[in-house]
Amino acid sequence: MEVYKRTPTDKAPSDRFTGDAWWDVIYAGSEPSQARLNRVRFAPSARSDWHTHTLGQTLHIVSGVALIQSRGGEIVEAHPGDTIHTPPGEEHWHGAAPDTFMEHLALWEGTGDPRVPETDWGAKVTDEEYGGPRRSTRA
Ligand code: MN
């Protein structure tokens, strides 16, 4: 058994996020594990840029109101206890609603190949995209 000490919180970089977000690395597996688990906390209106995960990603909403959108779909408004999976290569973004903080756990995997990135980053999410139509998981 191993006990991991809490790691310092890192600010999400502004070239990949809009607004203020911070993450804590909870677990980053070493070979043969490729597991990755982060806790991410977003200020109101903060969100990631558009991106894909080579092996997909699972988000578990801990607190607040999350907005998550895949390319071509409507924005999903997700709530604490909801779990949202984006499959490998599906372009998406995630962040907080405009009027509240949001915290989620993010689970994904490394590729095991340093030439193949875990995440590919794309365009910023515009205010127009961020303000688009939503459907709630509580509908
Ligand atoms: Mn993602």
Side-chain angles (χ1 to χ4, degrees):
M1 183 171 72
E2 291 182 65
V3 175
Y4 298 108
K5 302 286 190 198
R6 183 181 66 78
T7 58
T9 298
D10 282 325
K11 181 90 187 285
S14 60
D15 61 344
R16 293 177 176 177
F17 286 76
T18 294
D20 291 334
W22 293 262
W23 66 62
D24 300 338
V25 174
I26 295 175
Y27 182 74
S30 49
E31 298 281 353
S33 172
Q34 296 292 337
R36 309 279 187 263
L37 180 65
N38 280 9
R39 171 171 59 178
V40 191
R41 289 179 276 193
F42 295 82
S45 295
R47 67 270 191 178
S48 72
D49 295 352
W50 288 100
H51 62 280
T52 64
H53 303 285
T54 300
L55 295 175
Q57 183 179 56
T58 302
L59 303 174
H60 180 75
I61 312 308
V62 174
S63 66
V65 178
L67 302 181
I68 304 163
Q69 183 180 30
S70 289
R71 184 69 79 180
E74 61 192 340
I75 297 169
V76 173
E77 178 191 295
H79 297 272
D82 290 338
T83 300
I84 308 283
H85 178 73
T86 54
E90 182 169 295
E91 194 178 24
H92 67 278
W93 59 267
H94 28 112
D99 59 349
T100 184
F101 285 80
M102 186 275 285
E103 175 179 339
H104 69 42
L105 299 175
L107 172 69
W108 76 103
E109 294 162 73
T111 63
D113 181 344
R115 296 163 300 179
V116 180
E118 299 171 11
T119 304
D120 274 318
W121 292 94
K124 311 283 308 170
V125 174
T126 66
D127 288 344
E128 184 178 16
E129 289 171 322
Y130 180 75
R134 302 184 199 173
R135 70 178 163 87
S136 173
T137 59
R138 290 181 172 169

